[in-house]
């Protein structure tokens, strides 16, 4: 009897590094492969993966920074310890292949796999590679990228433009379920705002201020605000808030007429796959490497997204952008339909199949 094939996934820190793994995990479960996951002890990925009944192996993590911080010295130690943990895990699990979706937890498993001669495939979501991808690529057999423009950062024989896998539920989400969860009737346009799995203080403050002052009285507003960020003073008939939602989040998204969000690649690809009108307020360069701004600019250049940077924000500008987006919805939706999202999962699967051993 043939030995069961085994794939190990890694990636985390935020759910944006986890969600693209889910359609791939489902595909390998259907193929009869054994599936395992290496992640951080306390990251967003742990609860999500364990809820699926997938064996989860937590390792130490050390954040990779581009700037001086005394914490770097401790984190270097944590990274080396995590590499040792990952090596032992690879020795124990003996997988056929490792798939890395990035985030600061992902580098040690990639190095551990390389030490054990386990082939690795990396996926980079953003327009420009993050630090983990830059460090990991030398240990990988293949790198997949979401954006065609991102191929220029990698050797030709290493890189594959695949797009970003999105969950099947993105295509199957139910608007009525979303209305049921929010408690809104759907008689008025619904505005959804969210800032990724960790929430976004800027977006929370912006949306709450404009609910309070009546600027959003024509909308029913749904605010996914992040863990620990509920505001008990926000008691308005046209406003509802949630810390986070699991699968119901996509049903909520389906019920929305317009979305205001950050510029994380996973969020943008899911919005576009669902054909949702949206305005992007990317994370400022003061708080990031600028990848969200690059993502937003790219999709704006295709005519499928609108965006405004935090530093340029005024309510008047935001209101004008919302109105313009709603006015041009037919044109925008036609452009979105020309983008292919359903094929990305299969393209990544084909790359993985090309390198796995056994």
């Amino acid at each position: 009897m043939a030995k069961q094939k085994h794939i190990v996934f890694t990636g985390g820190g935020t759910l944006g590094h986890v969600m693209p793994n889910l359609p791939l995990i489902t595909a390998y479960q259907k193929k009869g492969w054994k599936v395992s996951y290496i992640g951080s002890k306390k990251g967003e990925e742990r609860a999500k993966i364990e809820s699926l009944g997938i064996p989860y192996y937590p390792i130490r993590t050390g954040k990779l920074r581009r700037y001086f911080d005394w914490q770097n010295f401790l984190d270097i130690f944590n990274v080396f310890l995590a590499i040792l943990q990952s090596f032992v895990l690879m020795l124990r699990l003996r997988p056929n292949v490792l798939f890395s979706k990035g985030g600061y937890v992902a580098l040690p498993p990639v190095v551990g796999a390389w030490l054990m001669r386990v082939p690795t495939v990396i996926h980079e979501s953003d327009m420009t590679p993050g630090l983990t991808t830059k460090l990991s690529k030398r240990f990988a057999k293949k790198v997949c990228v979401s954006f065609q423009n991102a191929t220029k950062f990698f050797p030709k024989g290493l890189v594959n433009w695949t797009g970003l896998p999105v969950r099947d539920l993105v295509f199957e989400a139910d608007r009525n379920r979303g209305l049921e969860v929010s408690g809104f009737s759907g008689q008025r346009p619904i505005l959804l705002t969210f800032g990724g799995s960790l929430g976004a203080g800027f977006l929370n403050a912006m949306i709450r201020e404009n609910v309070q002052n009546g600027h959003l009285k024509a909308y029913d507003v749904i605010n996914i605000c992040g863990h620990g960020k509920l505001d008990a003073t926000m008691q308005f008939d046209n406003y509802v808030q949630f810390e986070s939602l699991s699968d119901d989040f996509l049903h909520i998204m389906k019920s929305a007429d317009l979305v205001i969000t950050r510029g994380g690649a996973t969020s943008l690809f899911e919005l576009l796959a669902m054909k949702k009108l949206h305005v992007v307020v990317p994370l400022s360069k003061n708080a990031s490497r600028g990848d969200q701004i690059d993502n937003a600019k790219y999709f704006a250049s295709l005519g499928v997204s609108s965006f405004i940077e935090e530093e340029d924000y005024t309510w008047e500008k935001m209101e004008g952008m919302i109105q313009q987006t709603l006015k041009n919805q037919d044109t925008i939706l036609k452009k979105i339909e020309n983008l292919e999202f359903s094929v990305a999962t299969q393209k990544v699967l084909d790359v993985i199949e090309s390198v796995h051993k056994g």
Side-chain angles (χ1 to χ4, degrees):
M1 184 175 178
K3 181 183 176 182
Q4 184 183 29
K5 293 180 180 178
H6 187 185
I7 182 169
V8 174
F9 288 85
T10 189
T14 68
L15 289 181
H17 288 117
V18 180
M19 293 308 182
N21 282 333
L22 300 186
L24 302 172
I25 288 172
T26 299
Y28 277 105
Q29 286 175 325
K30 289 179 179 178
K31 289 173 177 282
W33 283 46
K34 181 179 179 181
V35 176
S36 302
Y37 205 101
I38 299 175
S40 59
K41 292 182 179 180
K42 298 180 180 179
E44 293 281 314
E45 70 274 16
R46 184 166 191 168
K48 184 64 182 179
I49 295 301
E50 289 184 337
S51 73
L52 301 175
I54 294 169
Y56 186 89
Y57 301 94
I59 60 172
R60 294 282 288 271
T61 55
K63 188 173 182 180
L64 302 171
R65 301 176 180 86
R66 298 173 183 78
Y67 54 88
F68 176 80
D69 189 301
W70 290 109
Q71 185 68 27
N72 289 344
F73 295 103
L74 177 60
D75 283 339
I76 289 172
F77 169 77
N78 285 330
V79 168
F80 278 110
L81 182 58
I83 290 172
L84 178 61
Q85 288 179 302
S86 298
F87 174 77
V88 172
L89 278 171
M90 292 297 158
L91 187 64
R92 172 183 163 194
L93 298 175
R94 301 281 180 172
N96 298 86
V97 65
L98 174 75
F99 182 80
S100 169
K101 193 60 203 73
Y104 53 81
V105 71
L107 177 61
V110 170
V111 177
W114 177 78
L115 291 171
M116 279 297 297
R117 301 298 185 262
V118 175
T120 294
V121 175
I122 297 170
H123 190 285
E124 174 57 59
S125 294
D126 294 310
M127 282 279 291
T128 57
L131 184 56
T132 297
T133 299
K134 288 179 179 178
L135 296 173
S136 297
K137 66 181 182 182
R138 68 197 66 189
F139 304 106
K141 289 289 187 182
K142 293 288 183 181
V143 175
C144 301
V145 294
S146 298
F147 297 92
Q148 187 173 16
N149 290 5
T151 58
K152 66 186 178 184
F153 296 104
F154 304 96
K156 202 171 267 189
L158 183 70
V159 69
N160 296 261
W161 173 39
T162 59
L164 183 72
V166 295
R167 295 170 280 174
D168 291 342
L169 188 56
V170 169
F171 304 102
E172 300 164 359
D174 183 354
R175 180 175 185 270
N176 290 329
R177 172 59 184 165
L179 293 174
E180 180 184 343
V181 173
S182 70
F184 292 135
S185 67
Q187 296 301 307
R188 293 196 295 183
I190 292 176
L191 177 65
L192 166 66
T193 181
F194 69 94
S197 60
L198 301 180
F202 178 85
L203 294 186
N204 292 340
M206 179 197 74
I207 213 71
R208 287 166 176 165
E209 177 186 357
N210 289 289
V211 169
Q212 290 171 330
N213 63 26
H215 286 159
L216 290 170
K217 62 184 178 182
Y219 300 88
D220 285 329
V221 178
I222 304 171
N223 182 196
I224 314 297
C225 60
H227 294 291
K229 297 177 182 176
L230 293 173
D231 184 343
T233 68
M234 290 296 296
Q235 301 295 324
F236 296 86
D237 291 340
N238 71 326
Y239 176 87
V240 64
Q241 58 185 324
F242 302 93
E243 285 190 315
S244 65
L245 294 166
S246 186
D247 289 344
D248 278 334
F249 170 71
L250 291 177
H251 300 308
I252 285 279
M253 189 190 292
K254 185 71 174 182
S255 72
D257 295 280
L258 186 131
V259 179
I260 300 176
T261 187
R262 286 302 201 187
T266 299
S267 295
L268 294 181
F269 272 86
E270 289 190 342
L271 282 166
L272 290 164
M274 199 181 280
K275 300 181 177 63
K276 283 294 159 186
L277 300 174
H278 57 279
V279 176
V280 183
V281 187
L283 196 62
S284 167
K285 279 189 176 180
N286 294 327
S288 73
R289 61 186 173 89
D291 51 302
Q292 292 195 2
I293 296 173
D294 292 336
N295 295 343
K297 284 181 177 179
Y298 174 78
F299 283 124
S301 73
L302 298 182
V304 297
S305 297
S306 300
F307 83 98
I308 181 171
E309 295 191 37
E310 276 191 35
E311 293 83 357
D312 296 331
Y313 165 80
T314 64
W315 174 248
E316 290 72 22
K317 289 180 181 179
M318 175 61 75
E319 186 177 35
M321 200 163 286
I322 290 172
Q323 295 301 325
Q324 193 70 15
T325 299
L326 292 171
K327 179 182 176 181
N328 296 330
Q329 64 176 331
D330 290 342
T331 301
I332 294 170
L333 291 175
K334 284 180 182 177
K335 289 179 179 180
I336 292 175
E337 286 174 3
N338 292 330
L339 304 175
E340 293 184 343
F341 293 98
S342 58
V343 297
T345 298
Q346 187 56 54
K347 286 183 176 180
V348 175
L349 290 172
D350 289 344
V351 174
I352 296 173
E353 292 293 317
S354 73
V355 304
H356 82 72
K357 67 177 184 179

